[in-house]
Amino acid sequence: MTDSASRRTFIAATGMAAAHVWVPGTARGYSAAEMRAMEETIGVSKWELDTPALCVDLDALESNITTMQARLAAKGLGARPHAKTHKSADIARKQLAAGALGICTSKVSEAEALLAAGIDRICMTTTNPSPSKIRRAMALRAKSAHFIQAVDEEKNARDLSDAAKAAGLTADVVIDVAVGTRSGIPAGAGAIALAELVSRLPNLRLRGMLSYDGGAQHLTGFATRRTTALANLEANVRVYETLKAKGLSTEIFSGGGTGTYNIQHEVPGFTDVQVGSYLFMDMQYLAIGNAAGGPVYDDFARSLTVLATVLNNRFPGRLTTDAGAKALTLNVPRAGVVGEPGMDYNAGSDEFGVITFSEARKAYAIGDKLELVAPHCDPVVNLYDQIYGIRKDRVEVVWPVTARGKSQ
Ligand SMILES: Cc1ncc(COP(=O)(O)O)c(C=O)c1O
């Protein structure tokens, strides 16, 4: 099978090929500022938006939140969704309202932005190694009794305890126990010693452990994903059991994501899953396959799209759009073009997307709009000031991306 034939087959299986594409003859073109400022923008067709525009289908988003919450609860697990994906206080509020135990953040600046916007019960899954970040984390803890942060080395634990003492508080921490080699303390005697130290330090309170397996989330095929994820966590489970036997806190045993949400309940002691991408879905996740053996991961609905405009149609079999790397970040896997399975979308150039095709549903004019599915949702959201919440193709709400650019 050729590459373009297999892409067409895959896109057709995602349901993207069958999507309805309506392209207005003339589009008014509201700027982002106008969209936020003007009351009348609420209710306009999404096709009227100036582009590139980040849109989320609210029916799909809400159904993903409800579905995830219900499926985890049915297996006795909680949801602690990761805000690294959406960076939005409004979406975090929906997740908490649906029953999430709390919200995760990667960076202290994300936590600051979300707490300032009213999101409480934040667990920072990355460590804070520098004195200034430790001070900022303590300032967050001073504002929120529910703020928890990760620690993965003894020096950092001592520094956190000293800073907590200086701030006049007791800080809540979880030890980050590695799965793979990205982050965290290796699962073994060192991790147990760290938990013991945290429990002894006067100004820290141990709340449990994190174990996120980034390597397993995107493995293709449910059986492979399950076998690998469970094997990867065996040593972490031994750490969990030792902490428990020693009477140390195991109140939290958290990790996992969209790819392993339906596997984590098989891990003894696991309490909650840090799901992120399930809200939106993207080309990376769509390709991992479902538990029934199908090629498309369809447990959650595809809700996030980037709208783009055709800038050039003068060359046969090619279109140029206004959505390149600065609108989509990654070029591999390729962005999907909704309704056009025969199109290959190259976002390799900064400002421009280049589409090549041998067949298309219609002849595209300059100014026509196309709807794209992002290669990977998290970094794309970080490029936009706002997300347009769309229902039945009309703008219902405009959400600021609260923690946009908060990468420190
Ligand atoms: C620590 C941590 N937890 C959870 C997630 C969410 O994963 P996903 O988007 O696959 O659901 C991530 C994503 O990278 C992560 O780094």
Side-chain angles (χ1 to χ4, degrees):
M1 207 192 308
T2 63
D3 277 359
S4 77
S6 56
R7 186 181 58 249
R8 238 192 308 275
T9 310
F10 176 71
I11 297 276
T14 64
M16 245 186 265
H20 167 71
V21 184
W22 175 72
V23 181
T26 53
R28 152 78 174 76
Y30 293 96
S31 72
E34 284 174 313
M35 284 301 296
R36 250 181 306 179
M38 296 190 307
E39 281 247 313
E40 72 236 39
T41 58
I42 304 302
V44 304
S45 162
K46 71 179 180 188
W47 301 106
E48 296 283 342
L49 297 170
D50 262 340
T51 63
L54 187 68
C55 297
V56 67
D57 183 278
L58 295 169
D59 287 336
L61 178 89
E62 288 162 6
S63 125
N64 289 344
I65 291 173
T66 314
T67 302
M68 179 62 85
Q69 192 66 39
R71 290 194 184 156
L72 290 176
K75 299 290 185 190
L77 290 177
R80 201 182 298 269
H82 213 303
K84 74 186 281 293
T85 305
H86 57 69
K87 286 177 170 270
S88 155
D90 295 281
I91 295 179
R93 248 186 291 283
K94 280 182 178 284
Q95 291 172 316
L96 289 167
L101 296 173
I103 295 293
C104 295
T105 68
S106 281
K107 305 297 174 102
V108 72
S109 54
E110 273 175 2
E112 288 166 343
L114 290 177
L115 188 67
I119 301 304
D120 205 356
R121 289 186 273 157
I122 291 173
C123 175
M124 246 200 88
T125 57
T126 313
T127 54
N128 286 311
S130 72
S132 67
K133 285 193 179 182
I134 290 173
R135 270 196 306 277
R136 287 161 67 185
M138 290 310 151
L140 286 171
R141 179 60 186 76
K143 285 185 195 143
S144 164
H146 303 294
F147 180 70
I148 304 172
Q149 66 202 290
V151 60
D152 71 357
E153 59 147 0
E154 297 205 356
K155 177 184 178 304
N156 190 229
R158 293 183 199 283
D159 290 347
L160 289 174
S161 183
D162 291 347
K165 186 172 179 197
L169 49 85
T170 300
D172 294 73
V173 300
V174 279
I175 58 164
D176 183 18
V177 184
V179 192
T181 53
R182 182 185 76 174
S183 50
I185 188 165
I192 293 155
L194 177 62
E196 286 174 325
L197 174 68
V198 167
S199 303
R200 279 198 311 274
L201 285 168
N203 289 78
L204 295 187
R205 182 183 299 114
L206 180 67
R207 298 289 300 276
M209 59 189 271
L210 305 181
S211 290
Y212 172 69
D213 187 359
Q217 300 307 316
H218 290 91
L219 292 176
T220 306
F222 178 75
T224 308
R225 217 152 49 240
R226 177 176 173 275
T227 312
T228 310
L230 294 178
N232 288 352
L233 278 163
E234 276 171 16
N236 300 59
V237 169
R238 285 197 292 277
V239 171
Y240 161 81
E241 281 168 348
T242 308
L243 300 192
K244 203 172 159 123
K246 285 176 179 282
L248 300 171
S249 171
T250 50
E251 176 198 335
I252 296 173
F253 185 9
S254 176
T258 302
T260 61
Y261 85 97
N262 50 353
I263 297 166
Q264 298 297 147
H265 64 278
E266 297 188 59
V267 179
F270 221 74
T271 56
D272 57 85
V273 191
Q274 300 165 6
V275 283
S277 307
Y278 77 104
L279 284 174
F280 298 143
M281 300 303 287
D282 54 27
M283 294 305 283
Q284 282 185 350
Y285 258 127
L286 288 167
I288 71 170
N290 64 17
V296 177
Y297 194 38
D298 52 7
D299 289 29
F300 302 98
R302 184 176 51 71
S303 71
L304 193 78
T305 51
V306 171
L307 285 174
T309 300
V310 174
L311 300 180
N312 195 340
N313 65 352
R314 296 176 190 91
F315 303 95
R318 291 178 82 87
L319 296 170
T320 304
T321 75
D322 60 356
K326 289 183 187 171
L328 293 160
T329 67
L330 301 182
N331 199 25
V332 180
R334 296 292 216 222
V337 185
V338 177
E340 292 288 6
M343 288 187 172
D344 176 48
Y345 198 96
N346 184 341
S349 133
D350 289 349
E351 327 289 352
F352 300 103
V354 175
I355 295 175
T356 45
F357 60 92
S358 51
E359 60 192 65
R361 287 206 174 174
K362 54 164 277 187
Y364 283 85
I366 291 173
D368 280 355
K369 304 264 169 74
L370 287 162
E371 208 173 10
L372 310 173
V373 177
H376 178 35
C377 55
D378 301 37
V380 167
V381 172
N382 196 38
L383 293 176
Y384 293 84
D385 289 329
Q386 65 279 313
I387 306 177
Y388 297 104
I390 310 291
R391 204 177 307 268
K392 313 252 177 290
D393 278 359
R394 301 212 162 258
V395 177
E396 181 173 301
V397 68
V398 185
W399 287 325
V401 180
T402 320
R404 187 213 166 160
K406 303 295 184 194
S407 301
Q408 279 198 332

